[in-house]
Amino acid sequence: MGNVVQRQTRGALRFQLFRKMAGLELLSDQGYRLDGRKATELRKFQARMGVFAQADGSAYLEQGNTKALAVVYGPHEVRGARSRIRHDRAVINCQYSMATFSTAERKRRPHGDRKSTEMSLHLKQTFEAAVMTQLYPRSQIDIYVKILQSDGGNYSVCVNAATLAVIDAGIPMRDYVCACTVGFVDETPLADLCYAEEGGGVSSLALALLPRGGQIALLQMDARLHQDHLEALIEAAMTACKGVSKVLDQVVRQHLQEASVPSAE
Amino acid sequence: MAADMRLPTIQKPVSLTFSAFDRKDLVVPGDVITSDTGFMRGHGTYVDEEKLTASVAGEVQRVDKLICVKPLKTRFNGEVGDVVVGRITEVQQKRWKVETNSRLDSVLLLSSVNLPGGELRRRSAEDELTMREYLQEGDLISAEVQSVFSDGALSLHTRSLKYGKLGQGVLVQLSPSLIKRQKTHFHNLPCGASMILGNNGFVWLYPTPEQLEEEAGGFYTSLEPVSVSDREVISRLRNCLLALAAHKVLLFDTSVLYCYESSVHHQVKDILKPEVMEEIVMLTQQKLLDQEG
């Protein structure tokens, strides 16, 4: 039953995409987007930490219709090539994969293609900026992220899910890493893009932020945008990331309250 | 065949002590604990612009001027004297590598094991070549932490007859934070089985040996068949441990024994059902509270 509904909404989104190509706007005159959000509004978050018992840390995150599962193992002894050992810090190993059923068209390879490898590298760079790796010399931290359903902003949802998983594993971080994808339409920045918006020829930008200090962990943009608009777009992305951080903060605190051992003392 | 079905429900840990809601001492990464510079920085914290900031999500602990944050769940942080249960992962020159749920694999030196033939036996080059005969990859051992290296790796020793290779039994892997530190971690339970509660969260359940084997130096493992009744006791203990761990009850000999006693009128396999688990853990906590007085 749920599957049927999902297929319908996905079909509906595609239909909207066609309509857009035929002239429908991503942002209506009243200031609403395709899915009824305002320009700066984020999608609905649903998250759970500690979903697996066997892993050191794990988390499940839904951001709108994009769903991701993140698992963290470590810090543990470096497996495989001895040459990867760093004597002053831990190595972070990331793997990004997409379930074969996550997109409208069935994927052939869940991971290992060029796009996934690039995404893994970006995740690695993001978490090397946030995790205090110098505390664990000669060890390795594995972060595995899987997209179960893809509806835009895959990178951002992965970063947010992985942040929750790393916190669940008890690995020290400077701050949360929050990520958000923003786009620029009709002189207006749109926060947290969905698939229909991402695919609609919008210049989009993904930003991972350490919100308290305002440091940028990763900034990625592979579309064309006029230089004058860049500042406004980054500003909007930062605001959105700070919004994400508030939501993640709530999730972690809720989890802490529930999971803390009621001490007898 | 009878099938057993239940609807999904949200499981809440049962607790007879006061619930820990709205606790003030819980912090998340990036939370400023104090901007007073008079405090010392402990584990789980860092200094950012002269403010003491948390780097993990957990509970703040203050000892005099030292502030630490203890995460809810973490890998094993060994200390000298801890009893651990571990698995051999690698045989190297003069040492074994042991997986102990620690940040790095622990080291068991050839010079810190008791070889057959008594205390004063010399360790020759031949011993180095026959290391795999004593312990090989995949073997389970019990050991004690001898020292901690500067990078956090542990050095183990088995220089006592109570430590050494483990024979027939069941390993249960739990969170290290659930094990209560005690004088002894080796227990001969009155229900007919023995238990090693490793500080690293690995618990070893085995049938109580008839007599203490001598001269074996801890490498002797009995291959005698274990009786059905013993196996049943061990399985029941295993399920009890999982039940206690699911509800985050500290593990020590008394709590495990009380849990075992509360579970006797259920079948062994039924203990894993959430509602039975809840009932047993509730009874155990009641008994523990009564015993405290």
Side-chain angles (χ1 to χ4, degrees):
Chain A
M1 165 80 187
N3 242 337
V4 175
V5 173
Q6 225 113 66
R7 213 171 287 157
Q8 276 173 354
T9 52
R10 222 181 275 165
L13 283 178
R14 273 187 155 188
F15 180 61
Q16 280 170 336
L17 201 67
F18 277 114
R19 287 218 312 199
K20 190 194 66 64
M21 281 168 185
L24 186 94
E25 288 169 326
L26 288 174
L27 193 66
S28 72
D29 295 338
Q30 287 77 29
Y32 289 103
R33 288 153 70 175
L34 290 176
D35 48 9
R37 283 184 288 160
K38 290 272 192 178
T40 55
E41 205 175 320
L42 300 176
R43 287 179 288 180
K44 189 186 175 203
F45 275 69
Q46 274 195 315
R48 269 183 69 195
M49 290 169 75
V51 283
F52 296 124
Q54 201 63 43
D56 287 296
S58 55
Y60 172 74
L61 179 68
E62 281 179 20
Q63 215 171 313
N65 280 329
T66 305
K67 298 169 185 178
L69 200 51
V71 181
V72 172
Y73 292 91
H76 60 72
E77 187 85 17
V78 175
R79 310 261 154 79
R82 291 247 150 226
S83 56
R84 286 199 302 143
I85 296 181
R86 294 280 168 272
H87 292 271
D88 55 341
R89 61 185 170 88
V91 220
I92 293 186
N93 169 34
C94 287
Q95 195 181 71
Y96 166 88
S97 61
M98 285 175 88
T100 47
F101 50 82
S102 61
T103 45
E105 267 163 54
R106 196 175 169 81
K107 273 181 76 78
R108 288 264 173 77
R109 295 177 68 178
H111 58 87
D113 54 336
R114 252 186 70 172
K115 226 176 102 198
S116 307
T117 320
E118 192 189 337
M119 195 74 103
S120 306
L121 200 68
H122 286 154
L123 283 173
K124 184 181 152 136
Q125 286 170 351
T126 313
F127 281 92
E128 268 172 353
V131 174
M132 301 171 96
T133 48
Q134 74 279 9
L135 295 175
Y136 301 114
R138 309 169 62 87
S139 49
Q140 174 181 342
I141 297 168
D142 292 325
I143 302 175
Y144 300 111
V145 200
K146 185 151 204 146
I147 291 281
L148 297 179
Q149 188 174 318
S150 160
D151 185 32
N154 288 358
Y155 167 76
S156 330
V157 181
C158 283
V159 169
N160 297 336
T163 302
L164 293 179
V166 170
I167 291 173
D168 184 45
I171 295 172
M173 292 217 282
R174 267 169 241 311
D175 196 351
Y176 292 108
V177 205
C178 303
C180 200
T181 315
V182 290
F184 199 75
V185 173
D186 299 347
E187 311 286 304
T188 329
L190 304 183
D192 201 7
L193 299 185
C194 68
Y195 180 74
E197 289 166 335
E198 243 181 9
V202 182
S203 349
S204 68
L205 169 150
L207 178 84
L209 188 75
L210 304 177
R212 251 167 274 241
Q215 294 124 319
I216 293 173
L218 192 110
L219 178 74
Q220 186 205 2
M221 180 160 181
D222 33 36
R224 284 152 56 105
L225 182 78
H226 196 283
Q227 197 183 344
D228 295 351
H229 299 317
L230 185 65
E231 207 166 319
L233 195 57
I234 292 181
E235 200 58 48
M238 285 200 168
T239 320
C241 286
K242 282 179 183 152
V244 172
S245 95
K246 274 188 197 137
V247 183
L248 294 188
D249 195 61
Q250 260 178 17
V251 172
V252 176
R253 280 181 204 277
Q254 179 80 28
H255 176 75
L256 267 183
Q257 300 280 2
E258 283 167 9
S260 62
V261 184
S263 49
E265 288 84 49
Chain B
M1 208 177 83
D4 193 41
M5 284 207 274
R6 67 175 62 77
L7 294 172
T9 49
I10 298 171
Q11 286 167 36
K12 290 242 165 80
V14 293
S15 172
L16 295 179
T17 48
F18 79 103
S19 68
F21 274 90
D22 290 326
R23 281 168 55 176
K24 290 282 186 295
D25 57 341
L26 296 175
V27 289
V28 298
D31 267 1
V32 174
I33 301 170
T34 173
S35 41
D36 187 347
T37 49
F39 288 102
M40 285 194 317
R41 188 173 69 86
H43 289 298
T45 60
Y46 70 101
V47 178
D48 180 34
E49 290 165 358
E50 302 207 332
K51 292 190 201 97
L52 200 62
T53 315
S55 63
V56 294
E59 195 184 326
V60 181
Q61 291 177 330
R62 229 192 88 186
V63 181
D64 206 26
K65 287 266 165 198
L66 179 73
I67 292 184
C68 305
V69 181
K70 202 178 156 221
L72 291 185
K73 199 161 80 173
T74 180
R75 291 227 152 195
F76 172 57
N77 280 317
E79 284 165 38
V80 175
D82 282 352
V83 174
V84 297
V85 173
R87 194 184 286 281
I88 308 283
T89 54
E90 218 177 311
V91 184
Q92 294 179 334
Q93 202 111 55
K94 291 185 189 175
R95 59 184 187 171
W96 288 275
K97 280 287 182 100
V98 191
E99 152 67 26
T100 52
N101 195 27
S102 177
R103 300 196 300 260
L104 290 166
D105 281 358
S106 309
V107 171
L108 177 65
L109 289 167
L110 180 61
S111 56
S112 43
V113 298
N114 264 347
L115 293 179
E119 284 286 311
L120 294 167
R121 191 185 140 143
R122 276 189 58 217
R123 277 168 189 79
S124 56
E126 253 168 62
D127 282 334
E128 273 177 43
L129 296 175
T130 54
M131 274 173 66
R132 207 171 250 116
E133 280 175 25
Y134 303 123
L135 293 168
Q136 60 175 348
E137 288 90 347
D139 282 350
L140 281 164
I141 57 160
S142 65
E144 191 180 291
V145 179
Q146 188 168 38
S147 59
V148 184
F149 294 125
S150 58
D151 59 357
L154 307 174
S155 171
L156 308 176
H157 80 90
T158 60
R159 307 213 68 158
S160 157
L161 279 185
K162 53 182 183 175
Y163 304 123
K165 188 171 165 181
L166 301 171
Q168 302 190 68
V170 170
L171 179 73
V172 191
Q173 297 186 11
L174 304 168
S175 165
S177 52
L178 290 175
I179 310 286
K180 192 177 179 184
R181 276 174 195 282
Q182 282 195 301
K183 244 185 216 162
T184 173
H185 287 261
F186 289 77
H187 302 290
N188 286 335
L189 300 175
C191 53
S194 296
M195 175 169 70
I196 304 174
L197 284 166
N199 283 102
N200 59 344
F202 288 11
V203 182
W204 180 249
L205 300 166
Y206 59 110
T208 309
E210 306 277 301
Q211 78 283 341
L212 289 172
E213 61 270 9
E214 67 285 332
E215 286 301 308
F219 291 105
Y220 166 80
T221 51
S222 155
L223 293 174
E224 296 283 304
V226 181
S227 70
V228 176
S229 58
D230 274 355
R231 290 204 301 252
E232 202 179 338
V233 168
I234 289 173
S235 316
R236 185 180 291 276
L237 276 171
R238 173 197 174 262
N239 288 356
C240 284
L241 283 171
L242 291 179
L244 289 173
H247 291 280
K248 304 203 166 53
V249 180
L250 275 189
L251 298 177
F252 54 109
D253 50 345
T254 326
S255 67
V256 175
L257 204 60
Y258 282 164
C259 187
Y260 182 89
E261 284 167 7
S262 332
S263 77
V264 280
H265 52 268
H266 290 285
Q267 264 189 5
V268 174
K269 63 172 183 187
D270 289 343
I271 301 173
L272 291 178
K273 288 181 185 164
E275 59 272 10
V276 178
M277 230 182 222
E278 204 165 298
E279 182 199 323
I280 293 171
V281 172
M282 202 69 117
L283 278 171
T284 313
Q285 284 185 329
Q286 187 63 52
K287 281 186 188 175
L288 283 171
L289 277 181
D290 288 349
Q291 181 228 18
E292 273 174 26

